[in-house]
Amino acid sequence: MGNHGSNLEDILAEDMHHWYNKFMRESPSGLITLFELKAILDLKGMNENASSYVDQVFFTFDMDGDGYIDFVEYIAAVSLMLKGEINQKLKWYFKLFDQDGNGKIDKDELETIFSAIQDITRNRDIGPEEIVSIIFEKIDVKGEGELTLEEFIEGARDHEDIMDMLKNLMDLTPVLLIIVEGRAG
């Protein structure tokens, strides 16, 4: 993971003009659609969960909701993932996890997202059910089976092990590297 971080830090340190050229090479229109994102990431033949996770990532990056990720949204998303303040990252995670948009995340939503992430990243150190159990055991103090944004942020911040787990699971560095550098070969 350390190597990826330094690669991306180097990429971000490059001047914006160079970065913009890379973005425009991948997407000459200056806008990336959901279909193009999946093509860039070479995500053919994904299972439905993994596909819906990519959809969810796209929609959280598409901050103005116009159906495209433009260069500004792209840079904002990359910067958030790399350098964002912890509360910003947790809010972004929550928005990503809250698939039905009801302002709460439940065990099914989390399990779906975590298994989808693992399908994409191939990181299966710990099973999705186990991750969800740990999160709810420590954070869902009222035992309601769902978490609000406030509960999620407070709970995650209070438990370093959960923060570490989220950082590892939600490490989009490989995805961002693919977008920035293009899929090799």
Side-chain angles (χ1 to χ4, degrees), residues 50-66:
S51 184
S52 70
Y53 169 70
V54 174
D55 296 355
Q56 195 77 359
V57 168
F58 180 88
F59 294 123
T60 56
F61 281 178
D62 178 16
M63 295 168 207
D64 62 8
D66 66 356

Side-chain angles (χ1 to χ4, degrees), residues 40-176:
I40 290 168
L41 297 177
D42 193 23
L43 298 176
K44 295 174 212 67
M46 280 188 306
N47 72 30
E48 205 173 304
N49 283 348
S51 184
S52 70
Y53 169 70
V54 174
D55 296 355
Q56 195 77 359
V57 168
F58 180 88
F59 294 123
T60 56
F61 281 178
D62 178 16
M63 295 168 207
D64 62 8
D66 66 356
Y68 299 95
I69 296 174
D70 62 28
F71 183 68
V72 173
E73 289 168 328
Y74 181 67
I75 292 297
V78 171
S79 297
L80 168 68
M81 297 319 304
L82 293 177
K83 297 185 167 106
E85 195 264 318
I86 197 62
N87 271 10
Q88 289 175 308
K89 284 186 179 181
L90 288 171
K91 279 182 188 164
W92 189 84
Y93 295 161
F94 186 88
K95 187 176 174 188
L96 188 62
F97 297 152
D98 184 14
Q99 292 177 297
D100 60 11
N102 71 349
K104 296 177 179 181
I105 48 179
D106 61 34
K107 292 180 180 183
D108 288 342
E109 286 174 317
L110 275 186
E111 250 177 65
T112 301
I113 288 288
F114 289 145
S115 66
I117 291 168
Q118 290 179 335
D119 284 345
I120 293 168
T121 62
R122 312 273 188 265
N123 173 3
R124 294 187 173 83
D125 296 344
I126 178 172
E129 301 83 10
E130 197 176 335
I131 298 165
V132 172
S133 291
I134 292 168
I135 289 173
F136 272 84
E137 190 179 297
K138 293 186 176 185
I139 298 181
D140 186 18
V141 287
K142 296 179 195 155
E144 299 167 320
E146 54 187 20
L147 302 170
T148 64
L149 176 62
E150 294 73 28
E151 288 171 324
F152 177 71
I153 289 176
E154 279 177 36
R157 290 185 65 147
D158 289 348
H159 295 89
E160 201 170 315
D161 55 337
I162 289 179
M163 283 303 300
D164 289 344
M165 200 167 35
L166 287 171
K167 277 183 204 152
N168 290 337
L169 272 172
M170 302 304 292
D171 179 14
L172 294 181
T173 302
V175 172
L176 295 173

